[in-house]
Amino acid sequence: MTAFEAFMQLPSGAVGLGTPRAYRCGCGRQIFFRNSRCLSCGTPLGYVPSRLALYSLDPGFAPGTWCIAGSGKTSPSFRRCANFTTAAACNWLVEPEDSSPQQSLCKACRLNRIIPDLSQGENQVLWLRMERAKRRLVSQLIGLRLPVASKVSEDVEHGLAYDFLRPTPGRPRVMTGHHHGIITLNLDEANDAVRERVRVEMGEPYRTLLGHFRHEVGHYYWGLLIEGTHWQDASRRLFGDERLDYAAALKANYEQGPRPDWRQHFVSAYASMHPWEDWAESWAHYLHLRDTLDTAASFGIQPGQVGIEAEPFCDADLWDPKAPNGRAFLEMMQAWSRIAGVMNEMSSAMGQHDFYPFVLPRPAVAKLHFIHCVVSAVPAVDAERRTCRP
């Protein structure tokens, strides 16, 4: 067994297979992350975030409660998230310890601070797309054992919250961004035509809802995991000094474009704009590759059987060549190169843009390894109630 194979076979929530993505109904048929009912047998389904799994459900002992199918009515009971019946169509369950009259929302939905005006039909469609992307993100964060606490109802100082805003004529522009734990997302980004137009206008190879969620939450975790900790000096040496004038860097980027040599140092052109953006872009790419590899492993896709060879990374490409996770990380990167390569070919076969339209330069790999080390060092005990200073 290689170090990567061992890496992927660790229990859910450990550093290896963070978030399982393959599930089966009690009837034996395949079910998928977004399903709330089995399309084969009609059994109700619900996602239990603490268990990182989608389950078939039986009615619970108390009215309005559910239990995992086959576990008996004396087993822990769950409630549907209150957003199950809204446009968000949330299929997550409220955990037994959270199931109180005061807590009707699931782990993902309680992060919402402002939701769109649902009296407008288009907003309902766009919000559903936003929520599906957010649930994918939050499930991965939980799988990586990162702290996920609501700034609205759980941790006002260190928590996370989302404002979903729609541009309104005569009012200031809605800018997607992060500020002190509040992530604002422009609802128009959920409009495929608008998002593609912006992607082309900005000359971006990749622009997705999930990519936005991963990037912006990277800013949040920089403040939570890096700022003021022993990681900060190393982060500045690797990504640059985040105290550089952000407004000036943004202005220079839009007026002069990215650094001419960005391909040799950064994961994307936007990452070259400012150290904060380098971190957030690198964080997003780390989540991209981890979730993709989790999905491949969940469905039995073996990177070693993919007939694509990539130039191997080596110890010199690591942030810390002496790190005990170095070998497994390098094998993970090799697996990623193979999976991304074959997925790009699959995308071409369907006439789509490349699945992963990026080339990782060696300095960017060191940044990914740094992030991997930070994530691996997050304590696993009582994650929701910690300030998470490593």
Side-chain angles (χ1 to χ4, degrees):
M1 180 183 296
T2 68
F4 176 71
E5 288 169 338
F7 175 95
M8 294 306 291
Q9 290 183 14
L10 288 172
S12 298
V15 178
L17 181 57
T19 317
R21 293 301 186 188
Y23 324 100
R24 289 195 179 276
C25 177
C27 72
R29 296 296 293 271
Q30 192 81 49
I31 51 179
F32 299 93
F33 181 68
R34 62 195 279 179
N35 293 157
S36 58
R37 184 173 294 276
C38 176
L39 298 180
S40 178
C41 69
T43 296
L45 306 172
Y47 187 80
V48 181
S50 64
R51 304 188 186 193
L52 299 168
L54 183 67
Y55 291 99
S56 306
L57 302 176
D58 286 335
F61 180 75
T65 65
W66 301 88
C67 60
I68 295 172
S71 63
K73 292 189 177 182
T74 58
S75 66
S77 61
F78 302 84
R79 292 185 181 273
R80 288 278 190 195
C81 175
N83 275 335
F84 176 70
T85 56
T86 70
C90 182
N91 67 341
W92 284 32
L93 301 178
V94 180
E95 307 276 354
E97 60 270 23
D98 294 331
S99 190
S100 67
Q102 292 74 34
Q103 188 54 267
S104 61
L105 296 174
C106 72
K107 185 76 170 173
C109 288
R110 71 184 69 153
L111 299 177
N112 294 344
R113 192 177 74 151
I114 299 175
I115 65 171
D117 177 3
L118 300 181
S119 66
Q120 300 181 31
E122 185 182 15
N123 285 357
Q124 295 184 30
V125 174
L126 300 180
W127 187 45
L128 171 61
R129 294 173 185 170
M130 285 284 188
E131 289 295 330
R132 283 175 173 168
K134 178 162 68 72
R135 288 194 287 270
R136 182 88 185 194
L137 168 74
V138 174
S139 67
Q140 184 184 21
L141 299 178
I142 294 171
L144 293 173
R145 295 203 174 184
L146 290 164
V148 182
S150 170
K151 195 174 185 70
V152 178
S153 60
E154 295 170 325
D155 187 342
V156 175
E157 184 178 358
H158 300 291
L160 173 66
Y162 286 90
D163 290 349
F164 298 102
L165 304 180
R166 190 78 188 270
T168 303
R171 293 189 178 181
R173 293 176 60 193
V174 174
M175 301 296 293
T176 291
H178 167 266
H179 183 68
H180 295 304
I182 304 296
I183 292 177
T184 300
L185 286 162
N186 185 334
L187 199 66
D188 278 350
E189 286 289 343
N191 183 316
D192 295 339
V194 172
R195 191 176 62 255
E196 178 63 11
R197 174 177 56 77
V198 174
R199 186 192 70 80
V200 173
E201 289 176 353
M202 300 291 289
E204 298 173 339
Y206 176 91
R207 190 181 184 93
T208 67
L209 278 184
L210 189 52
H212 280 314
F213 274 98
R214 287 173 173 164
H215 176 100
E216 296 304 334
V217 89
H219 288 301
Y220 166 71
Y221 281 113
W222 189 91
L224 196 64
L225 303 178
I226 304 299
E227 186 176 21
T229 73
H230 74 271
W231 295 108
Q232 186 160 324
D233 287 343
S235 175
R236 286 173 177 167
R237 289 192 295 271
L238 193 59
F239 295 92
D241 192 333
E242 80 287 348
R243 293 170 294 188
L244 292 173
D245 189 323
Y246 185 86
L250 183 65
K251 184 174 184 289
N253 181 74
Y254 285 118
E255 291 180 354
Q256 304 168 22
R259 285 175 42 168
D261 64 344
W262 70 264
R263 290 179 177 82
Q264 283 73 54
H265 301 278
F266 301 92
V267 72
S268 69
Y270 191 62
S272 69
M273 194 266 285
H274 187 275
W276 270 337
E277 300 305 342
D278 192 11
W279 162 270
E281 284 286 271
S282 299
W283 176 276
H285 281 252
Y286 179 76
L287 296 188
H288 290 336
L289 70 91
R290 286 297 300 269
D291 199 9
T292 301
L293 289 174
D294 279 352
T295 302
S298 297
F299 285 93
I301 299 174
Q302 300 297 323
Q305 297 176 0
V306 173
I308 288 182
E309 294 297 329
E311 183 179 357
F313 298 110
C314 62
D315 288 354
D317 300 316
L318 296 171
W319 165 64
D320 179 5
K322 296 180 180 179
N325 61 18
R327 182 178 167 220
F329 175 81
L330 290 174
E331 291 189 6
M332 182 184 74
M333 293 305 301
Q334 283 301 107
W336 166 247
S337 295
R338 290 176 173 177
I339 292 294
V342 74
M343 289 303 297
N344 281 345
E345 290 302 307
M346 296 289 284
S347 296
S348 295
M350 290 297 294
Q352 298 292 325
H353 299 299
D354 279 353
F355 163 82
Y356 186 72
F358 303 94
V359 176
L360 290 174
R362 295 182 186 277
V365 173
K367 295 169 187 176
L368 294 176
H369 183 228
F370 176 80
I371 291 171
H372 179 65
C373 291
V374 171
V375 171
S376 301
V378 174
V381 179
D382 200 19
E384 278 76 24
R385 293 170 177 81
R386 287 177 286 102
T387 58
C388 203
R389 298 303 192 197

